[in-house]
Structures are given as structure tokens and as C-alpha cells.
Amino acid sequence: LSGLPKPSDLTVELDGEDLEWSPRQDIGVDRWHYDVYLDGGLTDDEHEVKFTLNNAAREGIAQLCSVEILEFGNEQE
């Protein structure tokens, strides 16, 4: 993500749950790769990751560069 200096600029959700994304304080509007860690696993069906730009003044500056979801564990987890 880049161009998003304030936590209120963007909401990131996974399956409707706010992940409480917050930008790195010293990064300003530069790009940074953020990690979000959650306890528990994903169910065996479809999931939705949603990014909502809350600050219209950031439009044209804010960028979503890529998204990757990794789930670790064995088949019983």
C-alpha cells in the first residue's frame, strides 16, 4: 500500500471483519508491505478481501500494489 499516511484513510476487511489496518508511522506516503496476522484458519470456501478508501482526498495518490494471502498449518489445523 502507498499514499495512505493515516489509519482513517483505509479500511481493510476479510470476510466482513475489519482487520484494523494501520500505516507504519514513519513511512508517510511511500510504499510499504504490510503483514496482518490472525489466529485460526480459513474455512474451506470462498473468502473476500475488501479495501475501502475512506478519504476521497487520497484518490489518485493511494495505491494497492498487491495482495497475497498465506495460511500456514497442517491439514488438521
Side-chain angles (χ1 to χ4, degrees):
L1 294 166
S2 67
L4 299 157
K6 297 179 184 174
S8 59
D9 288 335
L10 180 73
T11 301
V12 181
E13 298 173 275
L14 175 62
D15 295 333
E17 180 183 340
D18 186 349
L19 299 180
E20 299 181 21
W21 171 83
S22 182
R24 187 174 143 170
Q25 293 300 309
D26 62 343
I27 206 70
V29 295
D30 203 358
R31 180 180 63 174
W32 190 253
H33 300 263
Y34 292 93
D35 295 320
V36 176
Y37 298 97
L38 302 173
D39 291 327
L42 297 171
T43 57
D44 191 21
D45 55 356
E46 291 187 18
H47 299 275
E48 178 182 58
V49 180
K50 183 177 177 182
F51 296 83
T52 304
L53 183 61
N54 301 320
N55 182 351
R58 306 301 315 160
E59 191 169 334
I61 299 167
Q63 294 182 40
L64 171 62
C65 303
S66 65
V67 176
E68 181 178 39
I69 296 177
L70 302 172
E71 182 181 28
F72 297 96
N74 61 43
E75 289 185 27
Q76 288 74 39
E77 296 176 304

